[in-house]
Amino acid sequence: MSRSSEHGGGSSDDRPRYRYDAALATTIEARWQDYWEDHHTFWAPNPVGPLAEGWAEAAGRPKLYVLDMFPYPSGAGLHVGHPLGYIGTDVYARYWRMRGRNVLHAMGYDAFGLPAEQYAVQTGQHPRVTTEANIANMRRQLRALGLGHDPRRGVATTDVPYYRWTQWIFLQIFGSWYDPDADRARPVTDLVAEFEAGTRAPVGPANPDGTPWAELDPVTRRRVVDGYRLAYREEATVNWCPALGTVLANEEVTAEGRSERGNHPVFRRPLTQWVLAITAYADRLIADLDLVDWPEPIKVMQRNWIGRSVGANVRFPVVGHAGLDLEVFTTRPDTLFGATYMVVAPEHPIVDAIVPPEWPDAILTDAVADVPAAWRGIFGTDVGPPEAVRRYREFAAGKSELERQAEGRVKTGVFTGAFARNPTSGDAIPIFIADYVLMGYGTGAIMAVPAHDQRDFEFAREFDLPIRCVVAPDDDWLAERGLDRAAPAGEWPEAFVGAGAAVASANVGVSLDGLATDDAKRVIGEWLAREGLGTPTVTYKLRDWLFSRQRYWGEPFPIVYDDDGLPVALPAAMLPVELPELHDFAPRVLDEDDHSTDPEPPLARVADWVEVELDLGDGPRRYRRETNTMPQWAGSCWYYLRYLDPTNDDALVDPDVERYWMQSPDHTGGVDLYVGGVEHAVLHLLYARFWHKVLHDLGHVSTPEPFARLFNQGYIQAHAFTDARGVYVEAAEVEERDGRFFLGEDEVQREYGKMGKSLRNVVTPDDMYRDYGADTLRLYEMFMGPLDASRPWSTADVAGVHRFLQRLWRNVVDEQTGETIVDDEPADDETRRVLHRTIAAVDADMADMKFNTAIARLFECNNRLTQVVGERGRAPREVVEPLVLMLAPLGPHIAEELWGRLGHDGSCAFVPFPAADPAFLVVDEVEVAVQVNGKVRAQVAVATGADDAAHEGAARADARVAAALAGVMVRKVVVVPGRIVNFVVG
RNA sequence: GCCCGAGUGGUGGAACGGCAGACACGGCGGACUCAAAAUCCGCUGCCCGCAAGGGCGUGUGGGUUCGAAUCCCACCUCGGGCACCA
């Protein structure tokens, strides 16, 4: 690239030998990076344990835990967009180190995952080999940035000693159940003790009859207990992605029904999988958002994802099936009288029990005289209910989410041939299956109230079902739609979903008529409870976390199966369960549209690993290992705890170490600052909070939340260019001329987007190190805008901050001789005022992470210094030293170098940050703007601290003000001392 | 559709309800130089004006206020999230 010769050729003959250019910067940077490493500069002492070296000095300092989101070591390496947050946390960490904190800042690697495995499938190279190579490259790139990380704590999730503890945490989750009375997780040993003592009845699908514990056989007992565990196996409809050869969590599937990673088709199919009971924590995950200092949009996204809704479960008796009820969840029990039909999800198990062989010929409701053709299904009217239902189920299951959207959500469905009885009115109402009701939410069945629910309204229109108004719409609603109050609901253009007074809602036992919606909900709720028809219920959109993947490159489960096919936890002493060697990493299925073949995890093929003989306490026995692996999120759920005590073999973290770093007088505990991208708003951040709460409940960590403060950094984006064919061209070779863009002589179009290979607009840190040095890159990234904003990369603008560093260097070091040009003569008062104003501003900006304005202030101060040097030929030490120290968090290498050249030994990383002298912050006189009717007419000088009258007097004394006020009546004078005087005239 | 967030010079961006555009990039002019680069100095929101000066300006339209980029309402545009969740 040509740029390197322009900027990088520091050794060319006509250049001063000691000019701060890329070559010199790189030399300095390498030297200081070695120094920091050799001198353990950024080793953060733990209070106890093997990492306690240096604790004696650190003990008196308050701690600060600064954390970056765990990166995935990609084979592509870093581009300049990646380290934005890492630089931000490093500046912040270095600043607080100088402010006397014991700062923990480390960087590890989230190294399990699909890309390494897919690469292994293609090349036959073991994922561990590629993963370690990628980590080594990323470490090199990050080291060259001069990040002040504690290198001892840089764990990778793929390290066996690390995933040993990931497996250990899984065992804790498997070994726990959620006690709703205590509202926390407890060990299952407590649960069994309660069963044995008879203080708790064993309930659940494994014990449908409610047989007492003492009478259950051992296998049934285990099944009952397994049903309580926070980690359980369940046959559930899962997101199966053939192209990735694995199932995915709901969070990993996009709205289009494709995989978030790779954008492959995802199919829904039943499969037995490991699931973690995150929904048990739903309320606490919502409530504890109030404890943390996070961006409000992230909290909103988490609340929405959890999707708590309050309502009631109501049972509708199925006509002709004594004792069989259809249970629905509704948030509007007040509209129960308006339920004119019911819908169950196509997969709902009740369907098989209620579908009659033939369409009913009896007239069961006033509204329906015969079974209309439309009700009989969309595949012809000549088949009976079982066949119609079967065909509809096939139709619904075969549709991808994408197809459902493409159909514009026209409601489809089939009448099951069965009826239920509305418990309020006694009416028999038809039961449909339709795919707009989802099996996974609520009870998988609804009561349809078409007058007051838009979806039900559309379905009722489609199928000609009765629409009965039971909540009176307000006048505005009717007027906006040109409706008369007398108009029947069937003539409305849409459902009335608002609150209002209940109407036509009375039977012999209860009347809601005239009640407001909230009161009606309460009254009907009481009636339902009294009649034994329903119970108040809270439902969540959040589902339990599907936790197994059919992959090789992940943590094996510490689980084996015995002869009964039931899972048995390995004792902690048998950890780690290491991944076996494998030569063929490919999952069995790769065709992305093959949704019928069963998944087969690669580990299942390693027969001599799967089949094991173990002594788990009752003598040696044969067991089969679990062959699924954990999802990538597992390792990243708790790395911030392992950073604290990365070498501990006895615990995932020593309790004293954990308390030291996680507890704080400033908040309710957790990492003091966590910086990362907004894309983890619901995935990583929700999972990590969940694990943390489990560990908290079980006494392994001391704080309720993992991350006290969260900060979302923005993204660096970049221009990209397309030629006449619409093909992306190499952005670095495009030139701008007169506001247009050319590649050679051909004009190209400018676009804007993420930096990446496909847009051919990647700029790498290595490019920047070569052309400017790491300090310039750091400074530019911090200067280009506020840390939380996204902004476009502009290599041309990098020169600005590079020149600043050159100027500062030149103010301290003679470019020809390398001698410092600093002297001990005092600075003039104005320069001192500039310096101390700078210190005050930079100090405040640093603490507030406003690095862009902090840098601007440093520019100003250095510009003043340049002027002084120009006049005196020397730079006053009293200005230079604070300036260098203020620069140190931002451009640490150059600051260290200058600090050394100023005669100091060692690193300035722990030298106190400069403090502003208040004496130089006060000024005798301030410029005050004078307004007339809000328009600025003049500036006048006023003594600091002058009273209102003095301000007004000074303003009136100004000729322009006097002219503006001549001949008009001053009605009011507003004085804001030191800022403004405003004459209101007229 | 619903929920967030953001719209300021040619560009990136500053601005406790109080002088809009700090700082930087780019541009223009000057000094130095045989020349160029580098460096240093000055100017640089738009319009009118020789100038002094004046007018207009923070997506659009209203409002609150002595005073609004900032607060409120409506709308437009862009970015992000969710999307048949009963």
Side-chain angles (χ1 to χ4, degrees):
Chain A
M1 210 179 284
S2 59
R3 275 202 308 274
S4 60
S5 59
E6 288 169 31
H7 300 288
S11 59
S12 64
D13 299 336
D14 54 340
R15 292 220 164 189
R17 199 170 150 209
Y18 295 98
R19 168 161 296 172
Y20 183 81
D21 57 16
L24 182 57
T26 305
T27 308
I28 291 169
E29 286 161 9
R31 180 156 70 238
W32 282 99
Q33 283 153 19
D34 291 343
Y35 177 95
W36 296 329
E37 186 170 306
D38 295 344
H39 290 79
H40 305 168
T41 305
F42 301 113
W43 286 25
N46 276 354
V48 294
L51 272 57
E53 179 188 314
W55 173 249
E57 302 100 282
R61 302 190 200 138
K63 66 89 188 182
L64 186 77
Y65 187 6
V66 177
L67 184 70
D68 300 279
M69 283 190 187
F70 217 26
Y72 179 79
S74 157
L78 298 179
H79 61 64
V80 291
H82 290 117
L84 180 66
Y86 309 154
I87 297 170
T89 50
D90 189 53
V91 175
Y92 191 75
R94 285 173 178 272
Y95 166 75
W96 282 107
R97 219 174 260 123
M98 295 174 78
R99 287 278 303 268
R101 300 287 190 102
N102 183 27
V103 178
L104 174 51
H105 193 203
M107 177 74 73
Y109 297 90
D110 186 17
F112 275 126
L114 279 170
E117 182 172 335
Q118 285 171 324
Y119 189 73
V121 169
Q122 288 161 22
T123 63
Q125 204 167 24
H126 196 284
R128 183 169 294 284
V129 175
T130 50
T131 299
E132 283 173 3
N134 292 347
I135 289 176
N137 185 47
M138 196 160 162
R139 281 217 166 99
R140 176 192 63 76
Q141 287 186 303
L142 292 178
R143 186 181 189 274
L145 259 181
L147 302 174
H149 294 150
D150 183 340
R152 300 169 301 173
R153 303 173 188 260
V155 298
T157 52
T158 47
D159 297 339
V160 175
Y162 181 89
Y163 75 63
R164 171 194 172 186
W165 290 103
T166 308
Q167 292 171 334
W168 183 87
I169 294 171
F170 179 84
L171 288 180
Q172 304 309 304
I173 298 169
F174 179 79
S176 308
W177 61 294
Y178 203 86
D179 180 350
D181 303 321
D183 202 20
R184 65 179 184 87
R186 297 172 58 197
V188 287
T189 48
D190 291 2
L191 178 70
V192 171
E194 291 185 16
F195 289 153
E196 285 172 350
T199 53
R200 183 178 293 272
V203 296
N207 183 23
D209 308 326
T211 308
W213 180 258
E215 296 166 28
L216 293 173
D217 63 81
V219 170
T220 306
R221 284 182 177 178
R222 283 176 59 194
R223 289 186 199 280
V224 168
V225 171
D226 285 352
Y228 279 82
R229 295 180 189 274
L230 287 179
Y232 60 97
R233 279 158 36 91
E234 184 183 52
E235 161 135 10
T237 306
V238 299
N239 306 296
W240 165 236
C241 180
L244 296 178
T246 187
V247 300
L248 298 171
N250 292 321
E251 291 81 0
E252 295 172 294
V253 180
T254 64
E256 286 78 37
R258 300 178 80 89
S259 61
E260 191 172 73
R261 190 181 278 277
N263 200 35
H264 303 293
V266 171
F267 300 90
R268 300 190 56 78
R269 54 165 297 163
L271 210 62
T272 299
Q273 296 286 295
W274 282 100
V275 183
L276 304 189
I278 189 171
T279 52
Y281 283 83
D283 281 339
R284 284 166 62 189
L285 289 170
I286 292 172
D288 288 357
L289 287 173
D290 294 339
L291 302 179
V292 294
D293 176 14
W294 286 18
E296 197 54 37
I298 301 286
K299 293 188 180 185
V300 168
M301 281 161 74
Q302 291 223 340
R303 286 193 198 99
N304 289 347
W305 189 263
I306 294 166
R308 184 178 200 269
S309 64
V310 179
N313 276 7
V314 182
R315 285 178 287 281
F316 285 59
V318 179
V319 174
H321 295 264
L324 183 62
D325 291 338
L326 180 53
E327 187 164 20
V328 302
F329 172 70
T330 177
T331 56
R332 292 294 302 270
D334 60 301
T335 62
L336 198 43
F337 284 89
T340 55
Y341 65 102
M342 307 194 73
V343 185
V344 299
E347 316 93 293
H348 199 292
I350 201 172
V351 174
D352 293 324
I354 62 173
V355 171
E358 299 299 334
W359 297 115
D361 50 16
I363 298 168
L364 284 165
T365 73
D366 294 338
V368 181
D370 189 12
V371 177
W375 292 24
R376 302 186 186 202
I378 50 181
F379 305 103
T381 57
D382 55 344
V383 296
E387 180 62 9
V389 164
R390 193 194 64 76
R391 289 192 193 177
Y392 185 79
R393 282 176 154 177
E394 199 171 66
F395 159 79
K399 273 196 299 186
S400 70
E401 295 289 333
L402 204 61
E403 287 166 330
R404 289 191 190 189
Q405 293 203 338
E407 287 158 11
R409 288 186 190 162
V410 172
K411 296 287 182 291
T412 60
V414 165
F415 178 42
T416 60
F419 293 82
R421 203 165 291 287
N422 184 323
T424 54
S425 62
D427 289 348
I429 57 177
I431 303 171
F432 285 75
I433 58 172
D435 63 4
Y436 83 92
V437 173
L438 311 172
M439 191 60 224
Y441 185 77
T443 63
I446 62 156
M447 64 174 204
V449 185
H452 306 293
D453 181 285
Q454 186 59 24
R455 294 151 303 184
D456 298 343
F457 184 88
E458 287 163 15
F459 190 88
R461 275 288 166 78
E462 209 66 44
F463 290 85
D464 212 13
L465 287 153
I467 299 171
R468 184 180 304 155
C469 173
V470 292
V471 181
D474 51 81
D475 292 336
D476 288 347
W477 189 88
L478 291 167
E480 278 167 27
R481 286 154 190 80
L483 295 171
D484 194 72
R485 181 158 291 286
E491 291 174 12
W492 295 349
E494 60 190 326
F496 172 70
V497 299
V503 294
S505 297
N507 61 24
V508 290
V510 64
S511 172
L512 308 180
D513 289 345
L515 294 180
T517 297
D518 283 344
D519 294 329
K521 283 182 181 175
R522 184 174 44 77
V523 171
I524 193 73
E526 289 163 2
W527 181 79
L528 287 167
R530 208 158 53 233
E531 299 290 319
L533 292 166
T535 45
T537 307
V538 176
T539 298
Y540 305 91
K541 212 176 96 178
L542 178 72
R543 313 290 162 78
D544 278 347
W545 177 13
L546 185 94
F547 195 70
S548 33
R549 300 291 183 276
Q550 291 70 49
R551 307 298 308 190
Y552 172 73
W553 195 227
E555 299 88 348
F557 283 78
I559 292 287
V560 294
Y561 297 92
D562 62 13
D563 290 341
D564 297 311
L566 294 178
V568 180
L570 293 174
M574 285 191 185
L575 299 183
V577 178
E578 290 197 52
L579 275 172
E581 285 307 312
L582 198 64
H583 299 291
D584 174 16
F585 308 103
R588 196 155 63 100
V589 178
L590 278 175
D591 179 3
E592 69 170 24
D593 291 319
D594 183 349
H595 60 274
S596 55
T597 310
D598 270 340
E600 184 209 64
L603 290 182
R605 295 198 291 266
V606 193
D608 59 352
W609 180 81
V610 173
E611 302 289 341
V612 284
E613 187 174 276
L614 300 170
D615 184 348
L616 299 181
D618 43 6
R621 290 194 185 194
R622 302 290 302 172
Y623 296 93
R624 283 184 56 84
R625 290 189 189 276
E626 169 65 60
T627 57
N628 287 296
T629 53
M630 299 187 201
Q632 194 178 352
W633 308 108
S636 60
C637 266
W638 71 284
Y639 68 102
Y640 58 95
L641 294 170
R642 195 60 180 175
Y643 282 178
L644 304 180
D645 202 6
T647 59
N648 195 329
D649 287 331
D650 303 320
L652 86 162
V653 55
D654 179 280
D656 289 333
V657 172
E658 187 271 335
R659 280 194 294 272
Y660 173 71
W661 289 111
M662 294 295 280
Q663 293 194 349
S664 167
D666 303 328
H667 48 70
T668 56
V671 175
D672 295 286
L673 176 69
Y674 193 26
V675 175
V678 69
E679 71 272 19
H680 293 110
V682 290
L683 286 155
H684 160 63
L685 288 171
L686 201 58
Y687 295 151
R689 293 180 64 214
F690 163 51
W691 275 36
H692 193 91
K693 286 185 182 304
V694 176
L695 292 171
H696 178 62
D697 285 354
L698 299 177
H700 302 298
V701 297
S702 64
T703 68
E705 283 286 327
F707 314 117
R709 181 180 179 200
L710 177 69
F711 187 94
N712 291 121
Q713 95 266 12
Y715 293 95
I716 290 181
Q717 298 186 293
H719 292 296
F721 301 88
T722 51
D723 64 15
R725 296 165 301 165
V727 176
Y728 286 100
V729 301
E730 196 58 45
E733 293 163 13
V734 171
E735 295 174 348
E736 180 175 357
R737 296 201 284 268
D738 302 328
R740 292 155 74 194
F741 301 92
F742 296 89
L743 178 69
E745 289 311 306
D746 302 326
E747 183 163 8
V748 291
Q749 292 295 314
R750 188 165 76 164
E751 296 180 12
Y752 185 58
K754 272 186 174 168
M755 205 172 263
K757 244 190 236 170
S758 59
L759 300 188
R760 299 187 70 180
N761 60 355
V762 171
V763 180
T764 69
D766 298 296
D767 295 336
M768 291 297 111
Y769 303 153
R770 186 195 59 220
D771 294 345
Y772 300 101
D775 280 334
T776 297
L777 172 63
R778 291 173 57 109
L779 215 57
Y780 173 63
E781 295 218 1
M782 293 300 99
F783 181 61
M784 60 196 293
L787 194 59
D788 57 359
S790 294
R791 50 317 231 326
W793 178 264
S794 169
T795 298
D797 291 0
V798 177
V801 290
H802 188 63
R803 280 203 286 266
F804 159 72
L805 292 178
Q806 278 183 333
R807 274 197 293 269
L808 176 61
W809 177 269
R810 210 163 30 233
N811 286 334
V812 185
V813 177
D814 184 296
E815 289 190 326
Q816 305 295 337
T817 66
E819 300 292 312
T820 59
I821 58 165
V822 171
D823 66 23
D824 294 323
E825 296 299 313
D828 62 275
D829 279 357
E830 177 54 22
T831 302
R832 283 179 166 170
R833 275 194 291 272
V834 169
L835 173 69
H836 287 276
R837 277 204 302 269
T838 301
I839 293 171
V842 170
D843 197 29
D845 285 348
M846 287 280 192
D848 206 17
M849 292 203 291
K850 290 160 78 174
F851 306 127
N852 56 329
T853 50
I855 293 167
R857 300 288 87 80
L858 294 179
F859 272 116
E860 287 173 330
C861 188
N862 188 51
N863 287 347
R864 175 72 193 186
L865 180 61
T866 302
Q867 212 177 320
V868 170
V869 171
E871 288 161 8
R872 307 197 340 189
R874 312 287 289 178
R877 179 178 293 272
E878 67 168 299
V879 178
V880 169
E881 293 204 339
L883 193 52
V884 166
L885 291 174
M886 284 190 282
L887 177 65
L890 294 152
H893 312 88
I894 187 175
E896 294 274 30
E897 184 70 19
L898 291 174
W899 188 247
R901 285 172 180 267
L902 287 165
H904 301 281
D905 286 331
S907 168
C908 63
F910 291 88
V911 174
F913 200 82
D917 182 343
F920 293 104
L921 297 179
V922 297
V923 283
D924 306 338
E925 244 182 25
V926 285
E927 286 281 304
V928 171
V930 183
Q931 298 180 332
V932 177
N933 278 353
K935 285 200 180 298
V936 178
R937 294 296 166 188
Q939 319 280 332
V940 295
V942 178
T944 303
D947 63 10
D948 286 9
H951 276 79
E952 184 177 339
R956 285 183 184 277
D958 185 274
R960 284 160 299 183
V961 176
L965 295 180
V968 295
M969 215 220 337
V970 176
R971 307 207 306 185
K972 187 174 174 185
V973 181
V974 179
V975 177
V976 181
R979 290 195 180 275
I980 208 155
V981 178
N982 188 13
F983 292 96
V984 185
V985 303

